[in-house]
């Protein structure tokens, strides 16, 4: 790994960041304030992990680039950002700081925080659908080529909608909220894994699966990516739980210890730090091994998944 990996990560992060910014809504009209709040949260300095994973999975599956994949990269970051904006609201975590900045609701007021989240979710689908509309009118493409491309985009859209919804991310958040309300009852490992798999892993699955689908991967390949991304996502969330205990406030851009303060049951409270760390490593290695089945010279995606084991932000 080392220098080449770091250099490549910098490049792909910059590409993902430019791509997200290319699709920001224009701040205009009497409703301009909501676009301002959406853009505030979208440009607050996230790692762009989901668009990066989408792009690298797409490349690994043979994708060559273009508007379709770039629109989906922006869309998945919009959905991720909406979930953070809503998660920070007073009715949820009531957080005032994220990524070293004021949270959206705190900067723009609670009503605008709710609306900015709603706006981001809806605009994600408008954004992903943009090239589909252009595609239906595109000249110079054979009818078969056009139909295949539209089919891939619709399938990717279906995965994104499902994984972000009540059977995915929102479903996980619902069980999380319900578990915190029943403070006296113990949260069992099975329940915690359900929460992690849905709240966090589902959107990572959507990102990687959509990348594979848009590149024209087979059904078996997409199913392998779904399994791989599930482990990546659960490991990512366990690491999040670990960082809330041993992380650095400046690196994280938010206060640590919020889980303990809220008396929240996490993977660390359930299993302890050492076992949590071992599980992050084991799940990440399992995820990386799935990628060996894809062949190819480029090992960046595998290295990235392994590098996340040691992430500090
Ligand atoms: C539907 C309201 C609603 C919420 C869904 C995703 C979520 C549940 C809540 C957000 C808070 C949270 C702890 C999510 C778990 C996933 C996670 C660790 C998000 C942070 O992702 P990073 O580290 O964030 O990629 P950056 O800031 O880098 O974009």
């Amino acid at each position: 790994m080392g220098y080449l990996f770091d250099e490549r990560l910098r490049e792909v992060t910059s590409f993902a960041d430019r791509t997200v910014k290319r699709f920001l809504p224009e701040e205009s009209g009497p409703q301009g304030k909501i676009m301002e709040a959406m853009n505030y949260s979208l440009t607050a300095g996230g790692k762009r992990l989901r668009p990066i994973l989408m792009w690298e999975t797409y490349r690994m599956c043979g994708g060559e680039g273009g508007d379709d994949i770039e629109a989906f990269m922006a869309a998945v970051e919009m959905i991720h950002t909406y979930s953070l904006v809503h998660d920070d609201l007073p009715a949820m975590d009531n957080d005032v700081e994220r990524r070293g900045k004021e949270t959206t609701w705190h900067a723009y007021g609670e009503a605008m925080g709710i609306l900015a989240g709603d706006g981001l979710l809806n605009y994600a689908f408008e954004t992903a659908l943009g090239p589909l509309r252009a595609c239906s009118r595109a000249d110079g493409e054979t009818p078969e080529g056009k139909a295949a491309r539209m089919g891939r985009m619709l399938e990717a859209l279906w995965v994104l909608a499902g994984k972000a919804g009540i059977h995915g991310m929102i479903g996980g958040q619902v069980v999380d909220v319900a578990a915190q309300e029943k403070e006296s009852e113990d949260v069992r490992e099975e329940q915690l894994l359900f929460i992690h798999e849905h709240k966090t892993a589902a959107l990572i699955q959507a990102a990687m699966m959509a990348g594979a689908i848009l590149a024209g991967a087979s059904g078996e390949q997409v199913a392998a990516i779904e399994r791989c991304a599930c482990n990546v996502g659960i490991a990512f969330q366990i690491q999040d739980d670990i960082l809330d205990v041993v992380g650095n406030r400046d690196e994280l851009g938010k206060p640590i210890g919020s889980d303990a303060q809220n008396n929240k049951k996490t993977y660390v409270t359930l299993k302890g730090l050492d076992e949590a760390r071992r599980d992050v490593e084991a799940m990440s290695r399992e995820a990386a091994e799935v990628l060996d089945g894809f062949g190819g010279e480029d090992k960046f995606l595998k290295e990235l998944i392994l590098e996340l084991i040691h992430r500090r932000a």
Side-chain angles (χ1 to χ4, degrees):
M1 283 186 218
Y3 174 74
L4 278 179
F5 175 84
D6 293 347
E7 175 81 11
R8 173 93 179 260
L9 183 61
R10 260 196 304 278
E11 274 170 25
V12 70
T13 303
S14 155
F15 167 60
D17 191 57
R18 275 182 278 121
T19 301
V20 171
K21 289 180 175 153
R22 192 158 75 80
F23 288 94
L24 294 181
E26 197 182 313
E27 295 172 18
S28 63
Q31 75 277 46
K33 201 74 191 163
I34 193 177
M35 288 85 153
E36 194 188 313
M38 288 160 70
N39 291 343
Y40 171 83
S41 57
L42 275 170
T43 55
K47 295 185 287 296
R48 309 301 194 205
L49 178 67
R50 291 146 195 85
I52 290 173
L53 288 171
M54 184 185 282
W55 171 254
E56 290 299 335
T57 309
Y58 172 85
R59 294 288 292 157
M60 185 185 71
C61 294
E64 288 178 354
D67 260 2
D68 301 358
I69 180 70
E70 291 185 20
F72 270 84
M73 287 166 69
V76 77
E77 188 68 2
M78 287 174 196
I79 294 178
H80 164 62
T81 305
Y82 119 76
S83 78
L84 301 181
V85 170
H86 276 188
D87 195 60
D88 290 334
L89 286 168
M92 298 246 189
D93 281 0
N94 196 18
D95 281 324
V96 299
E97 189 183 354
R98 179 179 290 279
R99 298 161 168 170
K101 291 180 75 172
E102 257 186 291
T103 51
T104 308
W105 77 265
H106 204 254
Y108 286 87
E110 193 174 348
M112 203 52 71
I114 295 170
L115 289 167
D118 293 341
L120 283 165
L121 176 60
N122 206 77
Y123 200 64
F125 290 105
E126 283 183 68
T127 302
L129 280 166
L132 192 62
R133 192 154 162 248
C135 169
S136 69
R137 297 183 186 154
D139 295 325
E141 234 179 345
T142 62
E144 295 76 23
K146 204 180 278 187
R149 200 175 137 213
M150 288 178 85
R152 287 196 293 272
M153 291 183 75
L154 282 177
E155 192 186 342
L157 205 60
W158 177 77
V159 167
L160 190 58
K163 294 285 185 189
I166 54 173
H167 301 294
M169 182 178 77
I170 294 176
Q173 179 76 349
V174 168
V175 177
D176 195 7
V177 167
Q180 304 315 320
E181 279 168 1
K182 290 191 227 152
E183 264 178 42
S184 54
E185 266 180 46
D186 266 352
V187 177
R188 285 167 291 116
E189 181 176 355
E190 193 186 85
Q191 193 181 12
L192 204 59
L193 283 175
F194 178 95
I195 294 169
H196 286 10
E197 186 177 338
H198 290 78
K199 186 175 99 168
T200 310
L203 199 61
I204 290 181
Q205 287 179 307
M208 295 181 69
M209 289 167 76
I213 292 165
L214 292 173
S218 68
E220 290 92 75
Q221 285 179 317
V222 176
I225 291 295
E226 186 172 20
R227 289 195 303 278
C228 163
C230 184
N231 276 322
V232 173
I234 295 175
F236 188 83
Q237 181 59 55
I238 299 175
Q239 184 67 10
D240 206 66
D241 294 351
I242 293 172
L243 288 174
D244 196 60
V245 180
V246 300
N248 175 299
R249 191 194 193 292
D250 293 335
E251 283 171 325
L252 284 170
K254 60 178 183 181
I256 64 160
S258 66
D259 291 337
Q261 208 178 331
N262 297 330
N263 218 5
K264 193 167 176 174
K265 299 282 179 302
T266 71
Y267 206 82
V268 178
T269 57
L270 205 68
K271 294 202 148 190
L273 262 178
D274 289 344
E275 198 169 339
R277 283 189 174 122
R278 276 197 296 275
D279 287 350
V280 169
E281 172 131 18
M283 285 179 194
S284 304
R285 295 208 177 279
E286 207 178 306
E289 271 168 28
V290 175
L291 303 185
D292 290 337
F294 282 76
E297 296 285 292
D298 191 351
K299 300 289 173 217
F300 178 76
L301 182 57
K302 184 174 173 176
E303 289 177 3
L304 175 60
I305 288 170
L306 295 175
E307 194 71 4
L308 287 175
I309 298 171
H310 311 289
R311 76 182 175 93
R312 298 172 58 86

